[in-house]
Amino acid sequence: VGPNPAWIPAVSCVVKTFFAILAYSMVLGDTFKALFQTLGFEVSREVSLLGLTALVLLPLCMLKNLSSLAPFSLAGIAGMLYTAAAMAVRYFDGSYADPTNGLALDVAENLRPAIGTKGAEAVFSSNAFILICMLSTSYMAHFNAPKFYLELKDNTIARWNTVVVTSFSISILFFIAIAAMGFSTFGGSCSGLILNNYSTKDSIMGFSRAAVAFALVFTYPLAFVGCRDGILEMLQVPKEERTDSKVNNLTYLILGSVTAVALKITDLSFIMSFGGATLGNALIYVYPAIMFRSAVKNMGDNATTAQKLEVYVAMTFAALGIAFGGIGAKMALGKLM
């Protein structure tokens, strides 16, 4: 496209990563509050989040080498798999089937099961645009793609494509399973963080909360470093000038800002849907299409007929992305107000 507007996707990636760590902080605040309740302690969401940020997240984000966190990533994946299995158990054993009895009575009334009768017709509801926009945030670590490619053994395009297709396929199936179990259990009362729908007296889901908290705590620095490094790149700070003092001060600023916003905003679904509607759709549908069109144009006569036709397909997706994003952003803001 040209060097002048290059800052636009760069800023979008940084802000999108900020939304990612904001979502992490919001989930951790809710999760640790529920874990304390499970253990018999009444600790507010605010105190939980502030304590966790100061005592755990800040030291982890100050690490200069994150390689020591690698083993915890695998444990985090295991925790997520356990959560999916626990949600399936609770759906099939019917523990929450009756909103007036059993474990369902231990949760707030607005979080109890509310199964509607619209069926597949609900797909055509305007609220579906919020879901579409939330799906745009399902993969919030795109900024790591070049790093993963460079670190891949024998990093040919063919091997990279295999990694991408395999990992995305597994992730998609996992997300579908989680969404299906959660929605089938609680219907229209699903919280932005589905674990909030489950009783703090539910021992099986208590372990799920612990597993999710463990996974997020040790993957938090990975997303955080992406945001911090993105800001340094955006400000064009040379690597030799990135002293420990400057990096640490920026860490305090970012983590403090994220925590302040997380304390103020409690609706995770708003952050996910609005972030997906604006930045997610732009990064997935709009920017790549514009860059591809520019690349084909610069190829001139060397561009193939297939590439020229693909430009029209790409721009169609860009237009759809803008349309879905506009509607989704409006719906998300309307829900917040």
Side-chain angles (χ1 to χ4, degrees):
V1 178
N4 291 332
W7 62 272
I8 298 177
V11 171
S12 298
C13 287
V14 171
V15 178
K16 188 68 173 66
T17 312
F18 182 90
F19 270 74
I21 56 178
L22 172 59
Y24 274 35
S25 288
M26 294 173 69
V27 171
L28 286 171
D30 288 343
T31 302
F32 271 87
K33 175 189 175 184
L35 284 174
F36 282 125
Q37 287 179 333
T38 300
L39 296 174
F41 300 100
E42 282 298 328
V43 181
S44 69
R45 178 180 182 273
E46 291 75 15
V47 171
S48 298
L49 180 56
L50 287 172
L52 178 70
T53 301
L55 300 177
V56 181
L57 297 182
L58 178 59
L60 287 175
C61 292
M62 298 286 282
L63 291 175
K64 299 299 182 286
N65 186 352
L66 300 181
S67 59
S68 59
L69 300 180
F72 295 103
S73 296
L74 184 59
I77 293 174
M80 292 299 182
L81 291 175
Y82 170 83
T83 299
M87 291 176 65
V89 168
R90 283 299 180 236
Y91 168 67
F92 287 111
D93 70 9
S95 295
Y96 293 85
D98 185 357
T100 63
N101 192 22
L103 291 172
L105 288 177
D106 294 322
V107 299
E109 188 173 350
N110 65 311
L111 295 176
R112 295 174 187 172
I115 308 299
T117 58
K118 293 183 179 180
E121 293 180 7
V123 174
F124 301 101
S125 167
S126 57
N127 289 329
F129 287 104
I130 295 180
L131 173 61
I132 293 173
C133 293
M134 290 178 70
L135 293 177
S136 297
T137 65
S138 295
Y139 308 94
M140 295 188 290
H142 282 92
F143 56 86
N144 280 321
K147 178 182 178 181
F148 291 159
Y149 174 75
L150 293 174
E151 293 179 354
L152 179 65
K153 184 178 181 180
D154 299 329
N155 56 343
T156 62
I157 295 299
R159 281 177 55 79
W160 175 245
N161 287 342
T162 300
V163 170
V164 171
V165 171
T166 303
S167 58
F168 269 64
S169 297
I170 294 173
S171 298
I172 289 171
L173 292 175
F174 182 76
F175 289 147
I176 290 174
I178 288 285
M181 290 298 103
F183 187 74
S184 297
T185 304
F186 296 101
S189 67
C190 286
S191 169
L193 174 59
I194 193 63
L195 291 180
N196 286 344
N197 287 92
Y198 293 92
S199 169
T200 55
K201 297 179 181 179
D202 188 336
S203 57
I204 292 180
M205 300 312 299
F207 283 113
S208 291
R209 289 189 175 94
V212 168
F214 182 88
L216 292 185
V217 163
F218 289 103
T219 55
Y220 194 103
L222 302 177
F224 184 89
V225 167
C227 180
R228 186 180 63 195
D229 290 353
I231 292 176
L232 291 171
E233 293 290 344
M234 190 174 63
L235 296 176
Q236 298 182 345
V237 179
K239 292 187 181 297
E240 59 272 15
E241 294 183 13
R242 299 180 186 182
T243 62
D244 287 348
S245 177
K246 286 184 178 179
V247 172
N248 290 344
N249 287 336
L250 183 57
T251 297
Y252 298 140
L253 179 61
I254 297 173
L255 195 56
S257 300
V258 167
T259 305
V261 177
L263 290 171
K264 185 67 175 178
I265 301 177
T266 59
D267 188 354
L268 180 63
S269 62
F270 167 73
I271 294 297
M272 302 295 284
S273 57
F274 186 75
T278 53
L279 301 169
N281 276 322
L283 291 168
I284 293 173
Y285 300 111
V286 182
Y287 297 161
I290 295 174
M291 289 187 283
F292 180 71
R293 183 184 66 174
S294 179
V296 172
K297 181 180 179 181
N298 292 337
M299 292 173 66
D301 295 335
N302 292 326
T304 64
T305 302
Q307 288 172 328
K308 293 178 180 178
L309 291 174
E310 190 175 349
V311 168
Y312 292 103
V313 176
M315 295 310 296
T316 299
F317 277 107
L320 289 173
I322 293 173
F324 286 149
I327 297 172
K330 181 180 179 181
M331 294 290 298
L333 289 171
K335 183 181 177 183
L336 182 66
M337 298 176 182

